[in-house]
Amino acid sequence: KLDAKALRYMTNEDFRVLTAVETGSRNHEIVPVTLITDIAKLRAGGVKKYLGDLAKRNLVSRMANAKYDGYRLTYGGYDYLALKTLSKRDSVVSVGNQIGVGKESDIYVVAGSDGNQCVLKLHRLGRLSFRNVKNKRDYLRRKQSPSWTYMSKLSAMKEYAFMQVLYEHGFPVPKPIDHNRHCVVMELIDAFPLRQIDDVKDPGKLYSELMDLIVRLAQHGLIHCDFNEFNILVGDDGKPILIDFPQMVSTSHPNAEEYFNRDVECIRVFFKRRFQYESYLYPKFRKDTKR
Ligand code: ADP
């Protein structure tokens, strides 16, 4: 859980020590206290006290390793560092309620620079079993097991980059606002996941808009790969908005056709089951995706 209060009770020294733990984690799974002291450039006695305080607030945790005394950054500590950066830039002024728990994220409503409401998405990749995540994510084809901070940060960077490109090309996605570490700040969409919608005015219209979206993505060289009722929000105006695209691939991927057809099939099956809507019209990979 995101501890917004922790933001307020942090001295400069606490912050310096916490940042030192993060810096040390680049090459130490458990960061030795001696290294933290060097990086923070504070008295050794002082550093021990600050580390103790940070550990009490769950921002770091002490790892009694046989070889040396060390600490590790926790989710809370990483959240804190990201929020501190985002609030310095005025992208997040205050944190509100949690509105969602995704498969691999926590979602909060936050206030942005001019008091407007935005969404803060904190990516949390270490939460699933590693085996599960490994198959899905191309960046995990590395020899050593990557840290959760690394995986979560990469996931947020990727989401932000895709969101920017899609938004700039006029695709219906939330407007990207800022990102830092494992966090993405984006526009708050006033709509519900298709999953929660039992009734739409014109299922045929929504169906063809969704199929058009799949085709238009492919015309831009992209396949969503997880195009389903969880990742599509539908507002009162009946327009779909795509909110999540963690595994998009290129249309030149060897399995592109299979992935494309699976996205299409997913929508067909859902519309049949939920709205008893069936159409013999649906896009096919080769024919419909040429520019
Ligand atoms: P995950 O990738 O972890 O599954 P999602 O990005 O799908 O997380 O978000 C989880 C839930 O949070 C969504 O089902 C939706 O209800 C809500 N949500 C996410 N982003 C937004 C947004 N920009 N505006 C409004 N609600 C959102």
Side-chain angles (χ1 to χ4, degrees), residues 102-105 107 119 121 174 186-187 189 193 231 243-244:
K103 290 190 298 291
E104 296 171 339
S105 68
I107 318 269
V119 158
K121 177 165 171 178
M186 65 181 96
E187 178 190 359
I189 304 293
N231 296 328
I243 52 159
D244 194 25

Side-chain angles (χ1 to χ4, degrees), residues 10-254:
M10 182 79 83
T11 64
N12 284 341
E13 286 77 18
D14 286 337
F15 181 65
R16 210 144 130 191
V17 172
L18 188 61
T19 309
V21 176
E22 183 187 39
T23 307
S25 339
R26 286 186 202 141
N27 42 24
H28 289 80
E29 218 163 299
I30 297 164
V31 192
V33 173
T34 49
L35 180 60
I36 300 170
T37 308
D38 282 352
I39 299 172
K41 296 198 174 64
L42 293 166
R43 274 186 315 106
V47 167
K48 285 223 171 87
K49 180 190 158 293
Y50 297 128
L51 281 168
D53 288 350
L54 292 170
K56 252 186 239 147
R57 290 144 73 189
N58 276 322
L59 299 173
V60 298
S61 67
R62 186 167 182 194
M63 309 302 284
N65 170 313
K67 279 180 246 146
Y68 57 84
D69 192 13
Y71 284 81
R72 220 175 48 181
L73 201 62
T74 61
Y75 264 137
Y78 203 47
D79 291 354
Y80 175 83
L81 289 168
L83 271 176
K84 174 104 176 171
T85 304
L86 291 168
S87 72
K88 254 197 231 149
R89 295 186 198 145
D90 258 358
S91 305
V92 173
V93 170
S94 69
V95 178
N97 293 328
Q98 181 162 15
I99 56 164
V101 184
K103 290 190 298 291
E104 296 171 339
S105 68
D106 289 325
I107 318 269
Y108 287 83
V109 174
V110 298
S113 51
D114 35 15
N116 58 322
Q117 291 197 315
C118 307
V119 158
L120 171 72
K121 177 165 171 178
L122 299 106
H123 288 245
R124 306 236 189 257
L125 257 67
R127 199 156 63 181
L128 281 186
S129 80
F130 183 59
R131 183 188 299 275
N132 237 336
V133 176
K134 197 172 173 175
N135 304 330
K136 285 197 288 189
R137 309 263 169 175
D138 46 337
Y139 51 72
L140 292 180
R141 290 204 208 100
R142 304 173 5 140
K143 290 197 187 67
Q144 40 171 169
S145 82
S147 70
W148 58 266
T149 47
Y150 176 80
M151 297 195 307
S152 305
K153 182 171 78 185
L154 224 43
S155 171
M157 275 172 52
K158 203 170 141 184
E159 172 166 60
Y160 192 77
F162 270 128
M163 202 179 279
Q164 266 185 321
V165 169
L166 292 172
Y167 189 77
E168 278 160 18
H169 285 80
F171 282 95
V173 296
K175 181 181 183 194
I177 294 169
D178 199 358
H179 77 119
N180 181 256
R181 295 181 174 84
H182 60 321
C183 295
V184 175
V185 185
M186 65 181 96
E187 178 190 359
L188 171 69
I189 304 293
D190 185 16
F192 291 103
L194 183 54
R195 162 91 195 158
Q196 294 171 24
I197 297 175
D198 293 321
D199 211 8
V200 287
K201 261 189 230 119
D202 190 348
K205 185 158 168 264
L206 181 58
Y207 173 92
S208 62
E209 275 177 4
L210 291 172
M211 293 305 181
D212 283 351
L213 200 47
I214 295 177
V215 171
R216 206 144 63 83
L217 283 170
Q219 285 168 342
H220 284 76
L222 293 168
I223 300 173
H224 188 289
C225 288
D226 204 10
F227 200 85
N228 62 39
E229 65 271 25
F230 296 93
N231 296 328
I232 298 159
L233 302 186
V234 181
D236 285 340
D237 60 0
K239 294 252 178 284
I241 291 157
L242 259 179
I243 52 159
D244 194 25
F245 20 82
Q247 36 245 326
M248 278 213 294
V249 302
S250 156
T251 44
S252 49
H253 189 284

